[in-house]
Amino acid sequence: MSFIVAIDGPAAAGKGTVSKAVAAHFGFAHLDTGLLYRVVGRAALASIGPSLDPERVIELSTEVKPEDLERTDLRTAAVAQAASKVAAIPEVRANLVTFQREFANRSGGAVLDGRDIGTVICPDADVKLFVTASTERRAERRFKELEERGEDTSYEGVLADVIARDKRDSERESAPLIAPEDAHLLDTSDMSIAQAVAEAIAIIDAKR
Ligand code: CDP
Ligand code: CDP
């Protein structure tokens, strides 16, 4: 039987961290759907350049393969920005729907995290969480992560990137970032990772 947990929220809110822990706890599979857009964004930067010509981006979105999600060069700030630009193209989103729905409906349970999982990809998900945190807290966390990975970056630069991406993601016409009406809100601003994970597990337990 399938059991679907949909986790949405803005950049660096802790979606991935919570999703991984929840999937490990319940033995569910996990898909970080942001990686799909990052794969397309990275390929577009590499083969088209910063102009991101929509027709060619759409073509690239038909060529995404599961093994592309394993690439190690998807977490850079440049790829994040390109991902959010290509993610605003409706045809790109449409080309990635089937893969996500098939993943979600596997037997044994699945956790998917992104921006439109509870609203568009899996509107009938068994549990929906909207994970968020203050903009400054999210920028601090992402800055620390990028710094630890050796990226040449500054807190101010990461903050500006997060704000630009949230704005683009929230204001686009196609599947904008919005909390699903029936989602549980998880504000992790003042929570440790352990607290956020424990709260998510309690919410899911209550539905099982
Ligand atoms: O997936 P998303 O971009 O929403 O965020 P993430 O990659 O799970 O988390 C971003 C960073 O915040 C990671 O380095 C986490 O370890 C950290 N984090 C945290 O410090 N406290 C939390 N409650 C959740 C995440
Ligand atoms: O980890 P973080 O929250 O910083 O970003 P991500 O989840 O890897 O997503 C990168 C970009 O992909 C986002 O800024 C969105 O523009 C896009 N995205 C989307 O449109 N829909 C999703 N379901 C997941 C990501």
Side-chain angles (χ1 to χ4, degrees), residues 5 7 13-26 30 111 113 129 131 186 188 191-201 204:
V5 181
I7 302 189
K15 304 179 298 296
T17 305
V18 168
S19 298
K20 265 190 218 103
V22 158
H25 179 86
F26 291 101
H30 169 225
V111 184
D113 76 284
L129 296 179
V131 178
L186 197 62
T188 70
M191 281 185 195
S192 67
I193 291 175
Q195 282 173 324
V197 169
E199 192 147 322
I201 288 174
I204 296 164

Side-chain angles (χ1 to χ4, degrees), residues 11-12 15 33 38 84 87 93 115-116 142 165 169 172:
K15 304 179 298 296
T33 65
R38 285 176 182 261
S84 104
R93 308 197 68 83
R115 302 291 186 289
D116 64 338
R142 182 52 47 89
R165 205 143 56 88
D169 292 348
R172 70 183 175 217

Side-chain angles (χ1 to χ4, degrees), residues 8-16 32-38 74-75 79-88 93 100 113-117 121 142 162 165-166 168-169 172 174-175:
D8 292 302
K15 304 179 298 296
D32 172 355
T33 65
L35 289 177
L36 295 167
Y37 298 93
R38 285 176 182 261
L74 300 175
R75 299 274 178 201
V79 168
Q81 288 298 328
S84 104
K85 289 179 186 162
V86 304
R93 308 197 68 83
Q100 295 175 79
D113 76 284
R115 302 291 186 289
D116 64 338
I117 306 306
I121 301 297
R142 182 52 47 89
V162 162
R165 205 143 56 88
D166 286 351
R168 205 182 290 118
D169 292 348
R172 70 183 175 217
S174 183

Side-chain angles (χ1 to χ4, degrees), residues 92-202:
V92 168
R93 308 197 68 83
N95 286 334
L96 299 172
V97 166
T98 305
F99 178 78
Q100 295 175 79
R101 292 215 175 117
E102 282 179 2
F103 190 97
N105 286 296
R106 65 177 52 210
S107 63
V111 184
L112 284 80
D113 76 284
R115 302 291 186 289
D116 64 338
I117 306 306
T119 51
V120 174
I121 301 297
C122 304
D124 298 324
D126 297 277
V127 181
K128 296 182 187 178
L129 296 179
F130 194 80
V131 178
T132 187
S134 72
T135 310
E136 290 72 21
R137 193 54 59 87
R138 292 186 287 115
E140 275 165 26
R141 292 172 179 171
R142 182 52 47 89
F143 170 61
K144 208 168 140 225
E145 245 179 342
L146 293 171
E147 203 183 28
E148 279 167 7
R149 275 215 307 277
E151 261 206 59
D152 181 18
T153 180
S154 66
Y155 169 74
E156 288 71 25
V158 173
L159 179 65
D161 271 4
V162 162
I163 290 171
R165 205 143 56 88
D166 286 351
K167 182 170 158 58
R168 205 182 290 118
D169 292 348
S170 305
E171 293 181 356
R172 70 183 175 217
E173 295 212 347
S174 183
L177 166 67
I178 182 176
E181 271 178 24
D182 47 350
H184 297 264
L185 197 70
L186 197 62
D187 185 333
T188 70
S189 301
D190 299 311
M191 281 185 195
S192 67
I193 291 175
Q195 282 173 324
V197 169
E199 192 147 322
I201 288 174

Side-chain angles (χ1 to χ4, degrees), residues 1-14:
M1 220 187 63
S2 74
F3 188 92
I4 301 174
V5 181
I7 302 189
D8 292 302

Side-chain angles (χ1 to χ4, degrees), residues 89 118 125 176:
I89 304 172

